[in-house]
Amino acid sequence: MQVFGPNELLADVLKKDLCIGCGACTEICPYFKSYKGRTSMLFSCTRQEGRCHAHCPKAEVDLDELSSFMFGKAYEGSPLGSYQSVVISKAGPEMIPGNFQSGGTVSALMTHALMERQIDAAVLTDWKGLIPVPELITEPGDVTRFASSKYVTAPTVSMFNKSKQLGYKRVGIVGTPCQLTAIAKIRTNPLDREDFEDTAGLTVGLFCTWTLDARDLLKYLSARIDVEKIKKLDIPPPPAEVLTVTTVDDEIELPLSEIRPMIPRACSVCPDMTAEWADVSVGGLEGSPGWNTLIIRTQKGAELISKAEASGFLVTDKMPKESFEHLSMAAGNKKARAFRQAMEDGCLNNKDDGHAALRVSPTILKEMNIESGEDNVGDT
Amino acid sequence: MSAILKGKKGDQRLFMGNEAIARGALEAGVNVVAGYPGTPSSEIIESLSRVAKDRDIYVEWSVNEKVAAEVAAAGSLAGLRSMCTMKMNGVHVASDFLLHLALTGTRGGMVIVACDDPNAHSSQNEAEMRHFAQMLEIPLLEPGSFQDAKDLIKWAFELSEELRSIVFIRGTTRLSHASGQVVLDELPETERKAAFRHDGFILDQMTGSVISLPIAFKHPQLQEKLQKAAERYEGCPFNSYTGPENPDVLIITSSACTFYSIEAVHMLDLQNRAGILKLTTTWPLPKRLIKKHLQTAGQILVVEEVLPFMEENLKVLAYEIASEIGIKPILGKRDGTLPSHGEMRPDVVAGALAGITGTSVDQRSEEYEKKVNERVFFGAPARDLTFCPGCPHRASLWSIENVLQMDNRQGFVCGDVGCYTMGLSPSNFGTLKTAHSMGSGTGLASGFGKLDRFGMEQPVLSVCGDSTFFHTGIPALVNAVHHGSNMIMVVLDNSGTAMTGFQPHPGIEKNAMGDVAKSIDIAKVCEAIGAKVRVEDPFEVEATQEALFQLLEEEGAKVLVLKQVCALSPEKKWSKKFEMSVDTELCIGEECGCNRLCTRIFRCPGLVWDQESKTARIDSILCTGCGVCASICPANAIRKTPLAANGKEVA
Ligand SMILES: Cc1cc2nc3c(=O)[nH]c(=O)nc-3n(C[C@H](O)[C@H](O)[C@H](O)COP(=O)(O)OP(=O)(O)OC[C@H]3O[C@@H](n4cnc5c(N)ncnc54)[C@H](O)[C@@H]3O)c2cc1C
Ligand code: SF4
Ligand code: SF4
């Protein structure tokens, strides 16, 4: 993978509004910092190559390289990425109940992994007054504190970086597709450092169509409700076209037409809906709020699931065919949209000295009916 | 005994121009002296404050120049001799009061010494004070030697008492700060008693109420005084001419430009063709004296700093007498013979003179030329303006910069006047984005903080020194609080007027004469005004940033007082709080993860980059042991070991 330095990260990502605030470039040096859901560069740094750029999920992401690192094969461009199986799931009887977003699969898996010491710490994401706060925990009992989806840009990866500094060797992390793209990049040892260690013990991905800018959402919601009282946000499947906000007192619906403008630009070039670079990926299940869709991708993921099932932390079932088709279509659409947008924005497969956000084989683009990216020459 | 008191009548002593002025004031029997510090004027009051007890005079550093002029005027109105000092900016601050004082007139002699800073060596402009003399219609004098600088003060006091008007004296950087031989006069015993008379007839300047009205009476009276001054100027002993009887070129000059003119004439060996009229009485011009000299000369070159003030007035005069003496070419700044900006220099004057006389200015020897070229080739090391080692301003601006960048809303800081103005420069993080007059940073912030209704979402901050806070910062803060402006005023309180040399201000427990004075608590003042106030130590980097983040969340006008004594303050100098060292094993230097944050960005001169070992190290001579760099190093490589007051390590 091409690695540049902080100035390229600034020019190609931050200045182009492609930053998703994942925090992958923070907590490694004094120059990039995350605050209230946004990442900024504090002072100029002159390095030609840096981890900041190497980690960023919006700069020079070579999908073939990630795929061969994770699955030992080239990127195929299939809607759901590589996987072993897709099932539906929910927290089993052994799991402590919580304010889960859907079936509680994620919380159950993390609790189980910590209890079994498969991981020595977990990076989970909370929020305080709608401002995301990633945390590092080691106690299984703490996991449920993080239940429910925070529909905002979160610097979750910063806490993974910090966990490395603190010396944790097997860290579990729950993240959105962009966050897990960063984690995957980090795991490939992009700078070929001799002292490198892969400390990602378990990666649990969350499905994601888009997220919202934390500060914009805070501004919007605090003008309408007491944000301290929010328990849960949800985006029910189409044709609902609303964001539902559950507060301690009641539930209100806000039109998506007012919400969409808060989607970061970075989401428009994200080709990943189902967190393809995770051990397992978890999403909702249309029409069944108490259940999750669960994609098992790696061997490690498969082993975790069977152990969690065996110990009563997880219940699984067969994925209904119709739901599967729906999911594939949605994921495929997002992928095609993102490649097209990246092409239009001039950040796909740039040639010569050009810097790309994404690199994908032209054959795949052709199969998806997207013109090849050969036009993107130079630094646009 | 202080230098300006030593010596008896007739002794020759080496004095800095400002000391000569101070000595002159003592020889004139001054009673009351007030001023506000500002380069290049500060040493006048500094010298006088040291001898205040000995000479039984009253000296104060006032809160600002306007108040200084008022304090001095009170002395005059009570029948005493009073002097007021300031830099040129101060005249602008004081001018509203002076406009009225000119009309009411003075009683005891009152002299205002205002010093210009051509080239803005220590200023943010090179404005002139001379035009104020013209605008306010009061007489102006410009000493052209160190001896004059001393002797002129007495003459000015006498003139002031004769006219019952303020008299302006203009200094400039080179006259104030260079030194020269001065022959002393005696120090008189003054026995003036202060009393303010107000029981006389209202139009009687000496006994009635003091008021600038009725204008129909006071304004003509003021103009009469000015005419009288011009008359007295005809015989002023401080104007002098040297040169041939009928010079080809007559140089008319004043102030420090006298030195440059003499040097230029010598450089070109033009003693037989060029004459120099050193004019001390530059406003209003003495008509007969000018006429006498213009008559004898072929061409005239006016040499002055900065604007063509004297030149323009000379041209008016020359026009008025043209029918008698004919039209004389008067060269200077208006025709471009000399520049109207920057400091005058001997070589510039020589260049102009060479052009006029058709002589050559290039007098450099070959060897000199060679040496210059060598030096130019190898170049002087680049040095940018930076804060001293251990300067609290570096720590304060560091925190502000970090917070504003992290906040990521294009927040900005309105700067003010003090050492911290250097925060405009990129080598000091470029945190400040505006700089104007004293107190104006907070005034600007007060205005910016009201623009949210027009869509401005950027956080607005101002910085303001402790002395500046008292000078003109308070009204701006009152304005911001009253109008609910969204802004944070950061008071960089380093416990003194540090930039000009540690003069006390109302926040300090000591006055100019060294007496105990009531100190005024900045935080309490701000609280009383109604601002939300936090006080932090800028050396506590984390706490300072935390406070800033919190204040950014709050509505309205807020104040953060960052209190830490200046690294150069007499009480702090040579005392280290920490012994600093770099653990070279931990230092990651240029590697990813640091890239020399301490020596490349933070840039305290106490930190040095060791090219060989590729690690940072501490220069233990320069390091003041403030400990701040230990909290910025991302590798925790900078260690601080606490030292006791005696410099020994704490057990
Ligand atoms: C921004 C976002 C967009 C999503 N979009 C979709 C979608 O389009 N379709 C779909 O099917 N599912 C989507 N999901 C996933 C879905 O909302 C649930 O998170 C998922 O079904 C898991 O449910 P659960 O009950 O197992 O989670 P829980 O057991 O409630 O656990 C939630 C976990 O999510 C983590 N988390 C919460 N917010 C964030 C965040 N911002 N960044 C990183 N980690 C976070 C917490 O650490 C917690 O461990 C999205 C999630 C997020 C955060
Ligand atoms: S997307 Fe993530 S890694 Fe890239 S610049 Fe933004 S915060 Fe940094
Ligand atoms: S900041 Fe710390 S790690 Fe970086 S160069 Fe200085 S001492 Fe070394």
Side-chain angles (χ1 to χ4, degrees):
Chain A
M1 233 165 305
Q2 272 270 36
V3 177
F4 298 111
N7 290 325
E8 287 78 8
L9 186 63
L10 183 68
D12 301 342
V13 180
L14 292 167
K15 287 248 161 97
K16 287 198 179 139
D17 225 3
L18 282 186
C19 172
I20 194 63
C22 70
C25 57
T26 69
E27 296 292 345
I28 41 180
C29 78
Y31 301 96
F32 290 92
K33 292 249 161 91
S34 172
Y35 178 67
K36 283 194 172 183
R38 285 202 191 147
T39 301
S40 35
M41 187 178 188
L42 272 54
F43 300 99
S44 83
C45 172
T46 49
R47 287 189 55 83
Q48 306 289 309
E49 276 191 347
R51 286 172 292 173
C52 52
H53 187 276
H55 292 179
C56 177
K58 300 292 170 182
E60 290 292 348
V61 176
D62 188 321
L63 296 170
D64 270 338
E65 268 186 63
L66 288 188
S67 182
S68 69
F69 170 78
M70 288 290 295
F71 307 110
K73 59 179 181 186
Y75 183 71
E76 286 162 353
S78 58
L80 304 183
S82 295
Y83 61 84
Q84 297 188 359
S85 59
V86 182
V87 294
I88 62 170
S89 63
K90 63 179 181 184
E94 289 300 312
M95 178 60 191
I96 335 150
N99 177 32
F100 306 131
Q101 187 67 24
S102 333
T105 300
V106 172
S107 296
L109 288 178
M110 295 316 278
T111 307
H112 176 70
L114 275 172
M115 282 176 78
E116 296 298 310
R117 288 280 143 220
Q118 188 189 332
I119 52 176
D120 52 13
V123 174
L124 301 177
T125 307
D126 195 0
W127 59 10
K128 296 211 162 52
L130 296 191
I131 296 298
V133 242
E135 279 183 49
L136 187 69
I137 59 156
T138 51
E139 292 304 316
D142 285 341
V143 173
T144 42
R145 220 170 13 98
F146 299 85
S148 86
S149 298
K150 289 84 196 179
Y151 283 97
V152 290
T153 50
T156 306
V157 190
S158 69
M159 197 45 78
F160 179 74
N161 288 340
K162 192 151 188 184
S163 73
K164 240 181 213 264
Q165 276 171 38
L166 295 173
Y168 289 96
K169 302 287 182 208
R170 283 169 294 126
V171 178
I173 178 164
V174 179
T176 54
C178 52
Q179 294 166 352
L180 289 193
T181 304
I183 296 288
K185 280 185 87 181
I186 293 172
R187 296 178 68 192
T188 62
N189 185 15
L191 287 172
D192 291 324
R193 286 165 79 119
E194 274 170 26
D195 58 350
F196 178 82
E197 259 181 281
D198 179 4
T199 60
L202 174 68
T203 51
V204 176
L206 303 173
F207 293 5
C208 178
T209 314
W210 40 252
T211 188
L212 298 169
D213 181 275
R215 294 188 190 186
D216 289 350
L217 184 67
L218 173 62
K219 202 168 156 192
Y220 174 84
L221 286 184
S222 56
R224 287 162 179 81
I225 38 179
D226 180 356
V227 295
E228 299 295 332
K229 289 189 174 166
I230 294 176
K231 277 179 68 188
K232 204 168 170 180
L233 300 189
D234 200 14
I235 302 160
E241 274 295 303
V242 289
L243 170 78
T244 54
V245 183
T246 315
T247 68
V248 280
D249 311 321
D250 63 328
E251 191 175 291
I252 59 166
E253 294 190 341
L254 297 158
L256 276 191
S257 58
E258 287 181 14
I259 302 297
R260 282 210 178 86
M262 294 183 258
I263 302 173
R265 204 170 97 81
C267 291
S268 69
V269 293
C270 171
D272 186 354
M273 193 187 105
T274 57
E276 297 176 27
W277 318 116
D279 290 317
V280 297
S281 307
V282 188
L285 180 63
E286 269 181 37
S288 315
W291 283 86
N292 291 111
T293 304
L294 172 64
I295 304 181
I296 303 162
R297 299 187 186 280
T298 64
Q299 195 49 39
K300 192 194 268 179
E303 281 162 20
L304 172 77
I305 299 301
S306 56
K307 274 198 211 152
E309 260 194 287
S311 56
F313 271 85
L314 198 71
V315 181
T316 65
D317 208 336
K318 259 185 68 178
M319 175 83 169
K321 192 164 175 273
E322 198 188 338
S323 303
F324 180 84
E325 276 162 9
H326 248 158
L327 178 68
S328 296
M329 195 164 74
N333 284 346
K334 178 175 176 184
K335 201 173 293 263
R337 250 193 339 259
F339 286 143
R340 261 191 210 104
Q341 186 67 47
M343 171 95 62
E344 209 170 280
D345 291 354
C347 60
L348 183 72
N349 289 348
N350 301 52
K351 291 207 155 177
D352 301 331
D353 290 338
H355 303 171
L358 280 172
R359 294 198 184 270
V360 61
S361 128
T363 335
I364 285 172
L365 292 178
K366 214 168 277 165
E367 281 167 15
M368 294 174 82
N369 270 331
I370 301 167
E371 298 163 57
S372 86
E374 315 234 320
D375 305 343
N376 286 332
V377 181
D379 185 10
T380 40
Chain B
M1 200 197 288
S2 185
I4 60 164
L5 286 189
K6 278 189 206 151
K8 54 181 189 311
K9 183 175 170 148
D11 283 359
Q12 211 179 49
R13 296 188 51 83
L14 185 70
F15 275 152
M16 188 204 255
N18 280 346
E19 290 172 326
I21 292 171
R23 171 77 191 195
L26 293 178
E27 290 180 1
V30 75
N31 306 105
V32 173
V33 186
Y36 185 81
T39 311
S41 70
S42 312
E43 297 82 1
I44 305 171
I45 285 196
E46 284 191 339
S47 306
L48 288 170
S49 65
R50 280 193 282 265
V51 305
K53 296 256 159 62
D54 275 316
R55 297 302 304 162
D56 199 18
I57 58 176
Y58 175 73
V59 183
E60 74 166 43
W61 282 123
S62 309
V63 68
N64 63 32
E65 294 86 349
K66 177 172 172 283
V67 174
E70 287 151 0
V71 168
S76 161
L77 294 177
L80 304 176
R81 284 196 164 176
S82 70
M83 186 162 90
C84 180
T85 73
M86 58 192 69
K87 73 185 290 176
M88 79 288 188
N89 310 49
V91 185
H92 292 251
V93 176
S95 63
D96 190 9
F97 173 67
L98 294 178
L99 171 64
H100 296 88
L101 186 63
L103 288 163
T104 63
T106 51
R107 293 180 184 173
M110 175 163 170
V111 173
I112 298 177
V113 182
C115 299
D116 284 357
D117 186 15
N119 224 20
H121 293 290
S122 227
S123 312
Q124 287 167 71
N125 64 76
E126 53 172 4
E128 286 220 29
M129 58 73 65
R130 293 187 294 178
H131 301 79
F132 276 95
Q134 198 166 5
M135 281 194 295
L136 303 175
E137 302 177 82
I138 56 179
L140 169 71
L141 295 164
E142 296 189 60
S145 75
F146 299 102
Q147 186 72 45
D148 284 5
K150 177 178 80 68
D151 297 342
L152 194 58
I153 306 294
K154 194 171 173 189
W155 198 81
F157 270 113
E158 284 162 4
L159 180 67
S160 168
E161 281 174 2
E162 191 182 325
L163 304 175
R164 301 295 175 199
S165 162
I166 331 163
V167 172
F168 259 143
I169 293 190
R170 181 205 194 204
T172 57
T173 308
R174 301 299 168 187
L175 191 99
S176 284
H177 283 171
S179 298
Q181 293 292 346
V182 172
V183 180
L184 303 186
D185 206 338
E186 151 168 270
L187 295 178
E189 291 310 316
T190 86
E191 271 147 30
R192 290 198 190 213
K193 256 186 85 112
F196 176 53
R197 287 202 58 187
H198 48 70
D199 47 357
F201 176 50
I202 183 118
L203 293 184
D204 180 353
Q205 191 186 323
M206 299 306 286
T207 60
S209 300
V210 182
I211 167 168
S212 58
L213 297 172
I215 281 299
F217 176 76
K218 291 290 171 81
H219 198 188
Q221 186 186 48
L222 175 61
Q223 287 168 348
E224 263 168 47
K225 290 178 184 179
L226 201 62
Q227 266 174 20
K228 231 195 244 174
E231 198 51 44
R232 284 282 272 111
Y233 279 6
E234 296 287 357
C236 174
F238 300 96
N239 295 330
S240 63
Y241 174 76
T242 38
E245 219 164 281
N246 291 299
D248 292 351
V249 184
L250 170 67
I251 299 175
I252 301 183
T253 186
S254 64
S255 190
C257 292
T258 314
F259 305 127
Y260 312 145
S261 301
I262 296 171
E263 200 170 330
V265 168
H266 281 264
M267 269 165 88
L268 298 174
D269 224 356
L270 283 173
Q271 287 89 331
N272 295 329
R273 291 177 58 197
I276 300 174
L277 175 61
K278 177 190 81 171
L279 213 54
T280 302
T281 57
T282 50
W283 167 259
L285 289 172
K287 198 167 174 175
R288 293 196 299 282
L289 179 80
I290 300 291
K291 184 178 161 190
K292 185 180 108 191
H293 285 283
L294 292 191
Q295 246 164 356
T296 60
Q299 303 185 77
I300 292 103
L301 175 66
V302 188
V303 182
E304 63 189 317
E305 278 169 329
V306 172
L307 295 172
F309 174 79
M310 199 165 44
E311 179 185 333
E312 285 173 354
N313 286 316
L314 266 170
K315 283 181 170 163
V316 171
L317 238 177
Y319 177 84
E320 288 168 2
I321 54 178
S323 58
E324 299 166 58
I325 66 164
I327 292 172
K328 298 279 179 175
I330 299 180
L331 308 174
K333 296 171 187 284
R334 294 192 54 92
D335 61 317
T337 306
L338 288 166
S340 299
H341 52 82
E343 217 173 15
M344 198 47 73
R345 294 193 314 259
D347 58 313
V348 176
V349 183
L353 202 51
I356 298 170
T357 54
T359 45
S360 161
V361 74
D362 199 358
Q363 301 250 316
R364 286 171 180 167
S365 71
E366 240 171 74
E367 199 187 339
Y368 179 87
E369 206 66 37
K370 207 177 118 209
K371 264 193 197 157
V372 168
N373 287 336
E374 267 171 25
R375 296 283 147 85
V376 170
F377 181 79
F378 290 112
R383 284 192 293 175
D384 33 35
L385 284 173
T386 188
F387 296 114
C388 304
C391 175
H393 293 329
R394 176 181 294 101
S396 297
L397 292 178
W398 172 265
S399 285
I400 295 174
E401 182 67 17
N402 271 274
V403 167
L404 283 185
Q405 292 302 329
M406 277 172 73
D407 178 75
N408 200 353
R409 285 180 289 160
Q410 263 68 59
F412 60 95
V413 184
C414 300
D416 219 295
V417 182
C419 294
Y420 51 88
T421 315
M422 289 194 295
L424 276 159
S425 122
S427 50
N428 301 316
F429 328 130
T431 308
L432 308 191
K433 302 300 180 194
T434 72
H436 299 86
S437 62
M438 290 185 70
S440 62
T442 303
L444 276 173
S446 170
F448 280 125
K450 288 305 298 178
L451 303 184
D452 45 349
R453 74 191 59 201
F454 301 109
M456 191 157 131
E457 290 180 346
Q458 299 158 277
V460 179
L461 277 75
S462 72
V463 289
C464 172
D466 39 347
S467 194
T468 307
F469 175 81
F470 292 109
H471 182 279
T472 31
I474 295 174
L477 178 64
V478 169
N479 195 69
V481 170
H482 176 66
H483 292 104
S485 174
N486 268 322
M487 51 83 78
I488 305 173
M489 176 192 209
V490 183
V491 182
L492 303 173
D493 182 354
N494 59 4
S495 304
T497 317
M499 189 183 188
T500 47
F502 274 92
Q503 294 82 6
H505 60 60
I508 309 291
E509 282 144 5
K510 210 176 66 177
N511 67 16
M513 300 184 292
D515 296 332
V516 175
K518 185 160 177 59
S519 73
I520 292 154
D521 187 313
I522 295 178
K524 281 193 187 147
V525 170
C526 298
E527 264 162 23
I529 289 172
K532 159 137 197 160
V533 182
R534 293 275 306 252
V535 181
E536 297 291 342
D537 174 355
F539 287 177
E540 299 296 330
V541 175
E542 209 175 303
T544 300
Q545 298 191 6
E546 194 49 48
L548 272 168
F549 277 128
Q550 275 180 20
L551 290 176
L552 277 175
E553 296 299 312
E554 312 223 4
E555 295 283 308
K558 288 89 48 180
V559 175
L560 174 62
V561 182
L562 292 179
K563 206 169 164 59
Q564 179 61 248
V565 176
C566 167
L568 294 182
S569 87
E571 60 181 279
K572 208 184 213 183
K573 231 173 171 178
W574 317 122
S575 69
K576 283 190 183 183
K577 200 161 165 222
F578 299 103
E579 186 61 46
M580 304 300 293
S581 60
V582 174
D583 183 332
T584 49
E585 290 292 308
L586 288 181
C587 172
I588 49 178
E590 290 169 318
E591 294 302 311
C592 181
C594 178
N595 195 12
R596 295 179 46 197
L597 184 74
C598 61
T599 52
R600 201 174 57 83
I601 305 288
F602 186 69
R603 295 175 75 147
C604 173
L607 290 157
V608 247
W609 176 245
D610 191 326
Q611 282 289 0
E612 256 158 53
S613 67
K614 298 273 180 215
T615 56
R617 86 185 146 69
I618 301 284
D619 181 328
S620 61
I621 306 279
L622 288 179
C623 170
T624 63
C626 72
V628 174
C629 58
S631 34
I632 68 137
C633 172
N636 287 325
I638 308 183
R639 293 277 155 82
K640 52 182 194 185
T641 318
L643 292 178
N646 59 7
K648 296 259 159 55
E649 275 184 28
V650 178

